[in-house]
Amino acid sequence: MSSRNVLVINCGSSSIKFALVNEDNDEFLIQGLAERLGSSEAVLNWQLGDEKHVAQLHGADHKAAFERLLPLVQKASHGKLTSIGHRVVHGGAHFTAASALNREVIDVIRSAAVLAPLHNPAGLIGIEAAMTLYPDLTQVAVFDTAFHQTMPAHAYRYAVPEHLYTDHHVRRYGFHGTSHMFVSRRAAAMTGLPVEDSSWLVAHLGNGCSTCAVVNGESLDTSMGLTPLEGLVMGTRSGDVDPSLHNYLSRTLGWDIQRIESVLTKESGLLGLSGLSNDMRTLIEASQKGDERATLAIEVFCYRLAKSLAGMACALPKLDGLIFTGGIGENASLVRSKTLEHMRLFNFKLDEEANLKCTRGVAGNISAENHPRVLVIPTNEERQIAVETLALIDAKA
Ligand code: ADP
């Protein structure tokens, strides 16, 4: 059988990120981003090999952007496209794994939109457009939440009245599942440990950030909850705050719930603390020049991360290693070392040279000899989505 191509699509409310993944090729055949869709500045950027291209889309919506980008994908795949894998943020409690798309599955994704009002509708736009344009191709939804459906009840339940759980789906779901699964499997492969007998702490640190406890290939706990706002300090998200903060802000400032949610989601985190930027690179540079608020933002980020990882350790029977991934985890050696300094009881110690070397896609073990293993592993959510898409197609064959 010749090697197969999967188009992986990740739709945001005004963007489409895409990559054509070949199962036998580490490099993407083509990848790109259509953004500012629905505005006069809509634009498509794509990369084919080392060549970078850009095309103005002049007010294109998602469907028009697909019509522009799909011929590029067709050409790059030499007309051989096996399937399309769609990233869907929230699968609720319904989806424990990737699912082939049909009307029924689309309806369940739509019903989960109440849990992810910004994300699921955007994913559905991509699904509907791709299914209209490719009605005969098997298309698959891969959920950010599915990997965490193995969490036990003591990890996923909130201590609120039971009817809120049974009647209104109030529970912890977790996100970034595709990334946590990818890097924990990669860690097992790198260390020669069997996936089904391995225990990992994972820190996925991008614009969104979450930790996860992965035992024998399954998620047993994770820091995000009902929504991707719970847990760690993130680029613009606060992570955990006292739930009474909402009441306090309402009483003292008269803010309504939308305003409070918007502040906690878009104006908080690294951006809120530093007053400068949500971007860790900018904050590290500013901190090195003596900016005190940038320094504080990094300190809070690292301490809260350490605290979360220490909490996640409750789910592990043993520790085979701690994995850093995501833009910050893969690049910011400072964040890695500061975080581990807060975890003295764990006996972590970094090999400073290895820590500095693991940036820009370089994977490796960065722990000093005779100390618990610490790995830097670049995530690859597109490849994981393609792998799950093909596995589903094979299972159906
Ligand atoms: P997303 O969640 O949007 O996929 P990424 O995984 O790309 O985000 O991570 C973005 C974050 O990674 C930003 O805070 C960025 O500053 C940070 N980052 C990227 N490169 C570096 C670097 N060399 N040093 C420190 N932080 C970095």
Side-chain angles (χ1 to χ4, degrees):
M1 188 169 51
S2 66
S3 67
R4 297 169 293 179
N5 298 321
V6 177
L7 173 61
V8 175
I9 292 174
N10 181 354
C11 268
S13 53
S14 63
S15 67
I16 304 170
K17 200 172 162 197
F18 66 98
L20 183 63
V21 183
N22 177 275
E23 62 183 332
D24 293 332
N25 192 335
D26 279 346
E27 305 296 324
F28 298 148
L29 303 182
I30 182 173
Q31 60 183 313
L33 176 68
E35 56 186 338
R36 300 199 280 277
L37 297 177
S39 82
S40 57
E41 280 128 50
V43 64
L44 172 64
N45 283 285
W46 73 98
Q47 186 172 348
L48 195 62
D50 290 335
E51 289 169 31
K52 292 188 173 164
H53 303 265
V54 58
Q56 302 304 322
L57 296 179
H58 307 296
D61 60 6
H62 283 76
K63 185 153 179 290
F66 271 117
E67 280 165 1
R68 180 73 176 81
L69 71 86
L70 286 174
L72 301 172
V73 170
Q74 281 290 4
K75 198 163 166 215
S77 68
H78 300 290
K80 286 197 296 189
L81 192 57
T82 303
S83 180
I84 300 181
H86 296 266
R87 177 193 180 212
V88 179
V89 168
H90 217 310
H94 188 88
F95 296 106
T96 56
S99 220
L101 281 160
N102 53 36
R103 280 287 133 202
E104 199 187 329
V105 169
I106 289 175
D107 286 344
V108 182
I109 295 172
R110 191 165 287 121
S111 69
V114 65
L115 295 162
L118 292 180
H119 293 101
N120 275 25
L124 282 165
I125 292 173
I127 289 169
E128 297 282 6
M131 285 181 75
T132 308
L133 294 164
Y134 282 101
D136 300 326
L137 211 57
T138 303
Q139 304 200 25
V140 173
V142 179
F143 302 92
D144 269 20
T145 47
F147 181 58
H148 301 298
Q149 282 296 309
T150 44
M151 283 196 288
H154 63 252
Y156 73 70
R157 285 291 297 274
Y158 290 114
V160 295
E162 193 187 10
H163 67 91
L164 293 180
Y165 167 62
T166 47
D167 300 342
H168 299 286
H169 320 289
V170 175
R171 52 159 285 175
R172 308 184 64 251
Y173 293 95
F175 299 86
H176 292 143
T178 310
S179 177
H180 289 300
M181 168 141 69
F182 178 83
V183 296
S184 54
R185 278 172 174 48
R186 192 48 76 92
M190 273 167 70
T191 53
L193 293 168
V195 170
E196 53 290 348
D197 180 17
S198 64
S199 289
W200 308 99
L201 288 176
V202 185
H204 174 105
L205 312 173
N207 280 309
C209 301
S210 68
T211 56
C212 186
V214 184
V215 177
N216 304 341
E218 295 185 341
S219 168
L220 293 192
D221 199 359
T222 190
S223 60
M224 284 177 167
L226 177 74
T227 74
L229 185 56
E230 186 177 334
L232 304 177
V233 173
M234 313 183 206
T236 59
R237 287 175 240 167
S238 62
D240 292 341
V241 292
D242 185 330
S244 292
L245 176 64
H246 294 66
N247 189 10
Y248 179 80
L249 294 176
S250 163
R251 267 190 291 117
T252 55
L253 298 174
W255 289 3
D256 63 16
I257 209 73
Q258 282 77 16
R259 171 110 189 249
I260 296 169
E261 173 149 308
S262 170
V263 167
L264 295 182
T265 311
K266 297 185 190 142
E267 297 172 32
S268 297
L270 293 173
L271 175 64
L273 278 164
S274 69
L276 180 66
S277 173
N278 63 322
D279 191 296
M280 185 57 90
R281 261 170 310 200
T282 309
L283 297 185
I284 292 173
E285 277 170 32
S287 170
Q288 282 161 352
K289 291 184 188 141
D291 186 313
E292 287 178 14
R293 289 170 74 193
T295 304
L296 179 70
I298 298 168
E299 295 297 336
V300 176
F301 182 92
C302 294
Y303 179 65
R304 287 271 298 274
L305 170 59
K307 215 159 98 164
S308 174
L309 287 167
M312 284 296 138
C314 291
L316 303 186
K318 59 174 177 161
L319 179 64
D320 288 317
L322 163 59
I323 305 164
F324 283 103
T325 192
I328 299 173
E330 292 166 28
N331 290 295
S333 50
L334 178 80
V335 169
R336 298 189 296 239
S337 62
K338 273 191 177 299
T339 302
L340 299 191
E341 278 167 22
H342 286 301
M343 301 179 74
R344 275 167 296 181
L345 294 181
F346 286 75
N347 194 29
F348 287 119
K349 186 169 186 325
L350 292 185
D351 173 332
E352 282 311 325
E353 207 176 307
N355 186 29
L356 289 174
K357 211 177 74 185
C358 285
T359 59
R360 295 170 198 284
V362 177
N365 185 341
I366 59 170
S367 50
E369 222 175 319
N370 299 323
H371 289 268
R373 193 184 277 123
V374 182
L375 302 171
V376 175
I377 304 181
T379 195
N380 192 333
E381 289 164 283
E382 290 81 6
R383 181 156 301 279
Q384 182 65 33
I385 290 173
V387 164
E388 289 183 46
T389 299
L390 288 174
L392 201 94
I393 285 176
D394 290 340
K396 286 178 81 184

